[in-house]
Amino acid sequence: MTVRLSAIARSEGLLHQIQCGSLPGLRSSDACLTLTHEVRTLQRLRLKVTTLFLDIKAGFDNVDACSLRARLLASHVPSHMVDWVSCFLSERTCPLPFQASPNLASPVSVGTPQGSPISPLLFPLYVPPLHMSIPKGLMVSYVDDFSITVASPSNRGNIRRLQSLFNTIAARGRGIGVSFSVPKTELIHCRTPSQRSPPSTAPIELEGHLFSPSKVVRWLGYWFTPALNTTHHFRHRLFLAQAILSFVKRLSSPGAGVKPFLCHRIANGVLLPILTYGAVLLTPNSSALRSMDSFWHRVQRWTTNNLFSTPTSILSREACLPPVVSYCRYRRRLAARRVACAPPYSNPASARLPQSSPSLSSFRA
C-alpha cells in the first residue's frame, strides 16, 4: 500500500516538489544539496542569505484522520485506498508504559502509529499546506524538518522576512492542527568563504523566544557552518567512528580478539559508512582528510593485525579496504549520477540542474 500510495501521490501532485522525505529515490542529501545550491546561487547575486531551521512538534502524533481523508478524496485518490487509510488510522489504542500503571489501553483519535512503513508517507501527505513559494528564497522540508532560506541586501531585512514567513506558516499549521517546536529553532547567517567582515549577530524573535545566530547547525545529519565549511562535519564523523571502534574492541573476549573476517565486516559495514557519512555532498579538506586517513590506517592495521611499520599502501590492499579519498570520490560520482538521472519533477536537486547537463535519463537526453 505504501508503494502504491507514493506512486499516486507523485502522479497526482499530492506532495510539494520541495518535500524530500518518505519517498523512494529521495534522500536527506537531496534536501541538503538543494539548500546549499540555493544559498550559493543567492550569494552570487551579492545578497545576504539567512536560513531558519524549524521542527514540527510531535508531527506524527497530530495527523487527523478525517482531515487526511478529505484531502485524499479531493485529490482524486481511489476510494478503496482512502478507505484503507481511514481504517488504518481509526479505532486505535495506546497503552501507557509507566511504572505501576494499569495495563490498560486508551483510545487514540489522532496520530499515526510509529514504526509502520506507511506512517512516514501519511505525514507528508497531511502537511502540504505548510509549503509556500518564497521570492528570492526557498523552503525545503524533510518529513517534519523544515528550513526557510531568504536573501536580501541586509541581514536585518532577512530577519524581518523570516519573522513574517514564520507567522504565516505557523498560522497554516494551526489550521491543520500542527505546531512548531519553537525552542528547537536555529538560525544561521550564511557567509562566503572569502568574506572578511565580522559575522552578523542579528537575532530573531519567535513567539517570545529570542534566537541568536548559531556558529554550527546540525540538520538531517549534516553540520552546517555560516561559510558551509566541511571541517566541523567530518571532525564529528571522525569522533563517532573512533568511539564505535573503541566500543567494538571492548566487546571481544580478553586475549582472543575478533577474527579477521569479522573485523573486515565491521570496518566495511560499520566504521566506513560512519566515517564518510555526508561525502556524497561535502568534500573533506586536506586537514580533515589527514585525520580520517590516520584513523583509517589504524582500522586497517586492526583488521590485518600488521605491524605499525607496514607501509599504508600495502595495508589497503591486504585489508581489502579502499582508501578514504578514493571511497569519497566514488560516493560523490554515484550521487551525481543518481541526481542527474532523477526526474526533475520529483527531485528538487535534479530540478536545479541546467538542461545542458549530461545525463543518461530521457529527461535531459
Side-chain angles (χ1 to χ4, degrees), residues 238-357:
L238 177 61
F239 289 159
L240 287 179
Q242 291 173 342
I244 293 298
L245 178 60
S246 301
F247 177 76
V248 169
K249 286 183 176 180
R250 291 197 300 267
L251 292 179
S252 59
S253 57
V258 183
K259 296 181 179 180
F261 76 94
L262 293 178
C263 293
H264 181 270
R265 287 187 178 182
I266 294 172
N268 197 35
V270 179
L271 298 177
L272 187 59
I274 292 176
L275 181 64
T276 60
Y277 179 83
V280 298
L281 173 63
L282 307 176
T283 303
N285 56 22
S286 57
S287 176
L289 192 58
R290 283 195 300 269
S291 301
M292 295 166 67
D293 279 334
S294 178
F295 167 76
W296 194 237
H297 293 158
R298 184 154 59 94
V299 173
Q300 291 172 346
R301 289 191 177 91
W302 171 68
T303 304
T304 59
N305 199 21
N306 280 330
L307 300 176
F308 282 92
S309 58
T310 306
T312 55
S313 58
I314 299 177
L315 276 176
S316 179
R317 291 171 173 81
E318 186 173 351
C320 296
L321 296 173
V324 173
V325 61
S326 301
Y327 183 76
C328 292
R329 189 183 303 115
Y330 167 73
R331 292 291 304 277
R332 285 194 297 272
R333 289 177 178 176
L334 288 182
R337 185 175 63 178
R338 184 182 63 84
V339 171
C341 296
Y345 56 83
S346 62
N347 192 322
S350 178
R352 279 153 179 80
L353 290 175
Q355 292 294 330
S356 59
S357 177

Side-chain angles (χ1 to χ4, degrees), residues 179-197:
S179 60
F180 289 91
S181 180
V182 177
K184 295 182 180 180
T185 302
E186 293 185 282
L187 175 73
I188 187 170
H189 293 298
C190 301
R191 297 163 53 88
T192 60
S194 60
Q195 193 171 351
R196 295 293 180 265
S197 59

Side-chain angles (χ1 to χ4, degrees), residues 193-224:
S194 60
Q195 193 171 351
R196 295 293 180 265
S197 59
S200 175
T201 58
I204 187 172
E205 183 180 359
L206 303 175
E207 297 183 357
H209 298 266
L210 191 65
F211 299 94
S212 299
S214 304
K215 296 181 179 180
V216 178
V217 173
R218 183 179 182 269
W219 192 61
L220 304 182
Y222 291 79
W223 294 86
F224 292 97

